[in-house]
Amino acid sequence: MRARPVLSALAALLLLLTACSGDDDDGDQEAGSGPTTTTPASTAAPTTTSTTAPAAVVTEGTTVVFEGGEDGIDTFRIPAIVATSTGTLLAFAEARPLSPLDLDPRYLVVRRSEDGGATWGPIAPIAQPATDDCSQSDPVPIALSSGEVVLMFQNCDRLSVSRSNDDGATWTEPEPVADAGSDIDGLRPGPGHAIQLTGGAAEGRLLVAADRNVDGASELVLLLSDDGGATWSAGATYVTVEGDPDIDETALAELTDGSVLLSSRNGSAGRPGRVELVSEDQGESFATLAEGRTLRIATDLTLPVVQGAVLSLADTGLVVFSSPSDPLYRRGVRLW
């Protein structure tokens, strides 16, 4: 699939990033300011190979959704956004009150927009952490066709779910999705939006991509729920082998032919492009792609090592990828 720029008006339905996702303290944040997560209103910035650390830029016509310093929060990172069945936009992020560092406390917050992203309500926590040493991370929202929103995330190092039946105004207390020691407990979800399948034998199934490190290898797992997120099981699984890039932070989209495309962060220095996998059986297994491989590298996506998002637009047949576009720094949010 050849990547191509698309109109930025589609951005309101994408996970739009100038922040990286967690567990990768690589020092590219400006001290004290935190990143700005935005909804762009103009076409993408050109690719650059600058070696000077850039200052944050907010272009004219851009709505700032989360900005470091608001509500006494030092930094907001790890954004995700979905549109509910009523059209309300819910934007999620990790609030990091002390610093951008992954090891400092963090909890999940949400902002709501009922006018297509022009204005946003107050910053509100999903659920207060149970203890002072409990952190929340990696928000993965799914907007269900029923109107309910399911949010999977890490809560006190446990894979957990909260739910909302009122367009994100209120949320249930987090509930663990698996007992400790199970085959899915310990996985790190997303981050970024997940999906509900719209057709096929498993129509209505929820799919969340998750990962963990296993003896130095990357393990990517599709988590499946056929009961609206009440219970979950492990579906398609891939463990990297020698020669594979490191993969994590996976976004996914249902394509018009019913297959599911996964787009993962490529953590291997010197090997540009996103890692892609495909499931043709609604999340049960991964398909064999070119040259007998399960994964492929989308080298036409020029970007740094960073979180990204992918979205399938059923009314146009387009698949849209969103990410910072500078090959070195997390800046220049762009749509392909």
Side-chain angles (χ1 to χ4, degrees):
M1 178 175 63
R2 182 172 178 80
R4 56 178 174 146
V6 298
L7 294 178
S8 61
L10 303 174
L13 297 180
L14 289 174
L15 188 160
L16 299 165
L17 310 161
T18 55
C20 74
S21 60
D23 299 336
D24 59 349
D25 293 329
D26 46 12
D28 66 348
Q29 303 286 344
E30 290 190 28
S33 65
T36 300
T37 302
T38 62
T39 308
S42 60
T43 52
T47 298
T48 175
T49 56
S50 169
T51 57
T52 301
V57 175
V58 178
T59 59
E60 183 179 356
T62 294
T63 300
V64 177
V65 183
F66 294 108
E67 186 170 18
E70 287 186 279
D71 287 8
I73 303 301
D74 180 271
T75 303
F76 296 90
R77 293 185 71 183
I78 328 304
I81 187 168
V82 292
T84 71
S85 60
T86 67
T88 298
L89 297 180
L90 303 179
F92 302 84
E94 291 181 13
R96 302 190 177 192
L98 301 182
S99 80
L101 300 178
D102 292 338
L103 296 180
D104 280 340
R106 43 188 169 155
Y107 60 93
L108 298 189
V109 293
V110 63
R111 295 191 74 179
R112 304 171 68 250
S113 175
E114 297 179 346
D115 56 10
T119 61
W120 294 84
I123 298 169
I126 298 298
Q128 293 292 352
T131 61
D132 291 341
D133 60 352
C134 169
S135 281
Q136 299 170 342
S137 62
D138 303 309
V140 181
I142 316 171
L144 276 58
S145 58
S146 65
E148 186 176 33
V149 180
V150 174
L151 181 70
M152 182 180 286
F153 57 101
Q154 284 279 0
N155 181 55
C156 306
D157 297 323
R158 296 292 307 279
L159 198 61
S160 302
V161 166
S162 289
R163 316 172 79 94
S164 176
N165 284 300
D166 54 11
D167 277 358
T170 61
W171 296 85
T172 62
E173 287 298 314
E175 296 184 0
V177 303
D179 293 331
S182 77
D183 60 345
I184 63 175
D185 207 34
L187 285 165
R188 176 176 172 239
H193 69 265
I195 60 173
Q196 182 180 35
L197 297 181
T198 61
E203 181 178 355
R205 170 176 286 174
L206 309 188
L207 269 65
V208 174
D211 64 79
R212 59 187 164 198
N213 185 278
V214 179
D215 298 327
S218 303
E219 182 181 29
L220 174 62
V221 180
L222 274 179
L223 301 177
L224 315 179
S225 176
D226 291 318
D227 54 13
T231 61
W232 297 82
S233 61
T237 300
Y238 183 80
V239 180
T240 57
V241 298
E242 185 175 357
D244 286 343
D246 296 328
I247 58 175
D248 61 4
E249 300 184 3
T250 299
L252 69 169
E254 182 182 16
L255 306 186
T256 54
D257 64 1
S259 62
V260 177
L261 172 68
L262 290 84
S263 175
S264 298
R265 186 174 82 155
N266 180 345
S268 297
R271 301 186 63 180
R274 295 282 290 187
V275 178
E276 294 182 342
L277 300 92
V278 173
S279 175
E280 297 176 344
D281 55 9
Q282 302 197 292
E284 299 288 345
S285 65
F286 290 128
T288 300
L289 304 177
E291 300 178 352
R293 299 297 309 279
T294 302
L295 57 79
R296 65 191 178 206
I297 308 297
T299 56
D300 48 353
L301 298 175
T302 304
L303 68 165
V305 178
V306 72
Q307 179 188 358
V310 64
L311 190 69
S312 182
L313 305 178
D315 55 340
T316 65
L318 289 173
V319 178
V320 185
F321 177 74
S322 173
S323 169
S325 60
D326 189 300
L328 296 180
Y329 298 108
R330 290 162 178 171
R331 65 176 180 182
V333 174
R334 181 174 180 172
L335 304 180
W336 285 265

